[in-house]
Structure formats: structure tokens, C-alpha cells
Amino acid sequence: MTASGLSTTGLTKSFGGVRAVDGATVAFHHGKVNALIGPNGSGKTTFFNCVTGMIKPDAGTASYRGRDITGKAPHRIARAGIGRSFQLCRIFPRLTVLENMLVSVRTSSLLGKLISARQSADVDRARELLARVGIDHLEHAEARDLSYGQQKLLELAGVLMADPETIMLDEPAGGVNPALIDRIGKLVRSLNAEGKTFLIVEHNMDMVMSLSDHVVVFDRGRPIAEGTPAEVQEDPRVLEAYLGV
């Protein structure tokens, strides 16, 4: 693990006395496609939220590129080089696809974003990224009129607008048809080949096992196993967590 990667030490977060993340110490492989898997309620999304500043952990630390990012504001963590998507798409439903892309890279008021961005180089970049994810033909459509899978692609393209070094995806295949799952997988592999690091929370095991270089398994808020896809599939701790065997 290099200093340019993402890691946590003793990361802990409780809600109402229940430890959603329980002293999690884990390091993800920089430059690789990492997966974070585990049964429902094992703390994966809470872990994501702690790392990206959406919520503050109760204890422990998170670091990235050798810097402490624990409890930093989300925009500061994003500027450090981490981008993320959400389990439920976060888009502006009444804005067009192109407008959603432009809003994602502006910091002034919403109206100012839309006016100034139309005259900037961001427009060209937005269109390039929409073409890359395969929805450039929808740039003038309102985001609410896209299928759920297309909304997932829009959210991913929006994340790419900031050119993050590490991309964290929360259930990119959730609610998506097999053709779009395949497209998302190919995008991840292509972007990884260009140097992007990925950390993916996902329940689709076919996607995880075919796409990932390194898999971390959570149960009850902490990692219980890690390794290659083949290694974690044979780990008795993983079988017990998932199947109770």
C-alpha cells in the first residue's frame, strides 16, 4: 500500500448505541479496482459516508495520499482527489443532462453556475464525458426523464467532471439492467487502465468478482477478510457472514 492510497485506522461510527462501523482498519490498493462487500447492514455505506465527510466518525482516522482527511468537509475531500456516487442517484431532476454536468463543477450560486458554465470550456468536457458514458444524445433531456440506469451513468459522468484520482461508487449496478451493468463495468476497467483508482460497494457478486482486483469483506461494521476475488470466495469467514455456514 502506498502513501497515495486510501486507508482507515480504528474508524468507528455509532447510531443510537448501534455501531454501524466498528473500529475498521483497512487499506485499499492504489491504482486498482477495489470492492467493499458484505451482508446488508454490515456498515459499507456508513463507512463510505465517514470517509467522504458526509458524516463525522466518532473515533479513528481516515487518510488519503498520506494526509489525514478525518472529519473534513466533503468539498475539501473532493478537492483532495476523491469523487463518489451515491446509493440513490443525486441529480437535479428538472435540469437537463448537460446542465447537471455543468452544475457539478461550479461553486457559486446555482443560477450563476448555469449562466457562466455555458460559455466555458466545461461544456466541451461535459459533452466528451457524456459521449464516453453513452448518453450524449440525451444532453437536452431533463434528468427526470432518463431511465434509472441512465441516471446512474449521468451521476458517474458528473463525478468524472472533477477528474478525481480515486472514485468511490456506492452500488453502481443497483436497479440497473444487465446491458448497462456491462457498460458500467467496461467504463470502470477503461478508467482504471488510465490510472483511476476505484472503491466499489456492490451486491452484484458477478460484477464484483469479474471486475475487482482486491476485495474487502465487511461484517458488523468491520473488515473480516480481504484478498483477490478467488481468495475471498473461499474464505470460511466470508461464507459464515453471508450464509451462516
Side-chain angles (χ1 to χ4, degrees), residues 194-213:
E194 295 169 14
K196 301 293 186 186
T197 298
F198 281 86
L199 173 52
I200 302 173
V201 164
E202 185 52 64
H203 288 288
N204 185 317
M205 289 299 101
D206 288 339
M207 181 181 189
V208 166
M209 298 307 167
S210 65
L211 193 60
S212 305
D213 303 302

Side-chain angles (χ1 to χ4, degrees), residues 4-75:
S4 58
L6 174 66
S7 63
T8 66
T9 302
L11 201 69
T12 301
K13 182 64 182 180
S14 298
F15 298 102
V18 176
R19 284 197 172 187
V21 179
D22 187 10
T25 297
V26 62
F28 299 98
H29 292 190
H30 186 65
K32 301 295 184 180
V33 177
N34 301 268
L36 178 59
I37 67 173
N40 287 327
S42 59
K44 304 180 298 296
T45 294
T46 301
F47 178 85
F48 256 40
N49 288 339
C50 287
V51 168
T52 57
M54 304 303 296
I55 56 178
K56 290 187 177 182
D58 300 324
T61 60
S63 63
Y64 182 67
R65 295 179 60 86
R67 298 168 52 192
D68 187 352
I69 59 171
T70 314
K72 303 293 186 185
H75 71 275

Side-chain angles (χ1 to χ4, degrees), residues 35 51 54 68 83 89 104 108 127-128 197 204 216 231 233 243:
V51 168
M54 304 303 296
D68 187 352
C89 288
S104 69
S108 57
R127 286 177 170 148
E128 289 173 3
T197 298
N204 185 317
V216 175
E231 288 169 343
Q233 288 182 88
L243 304 174

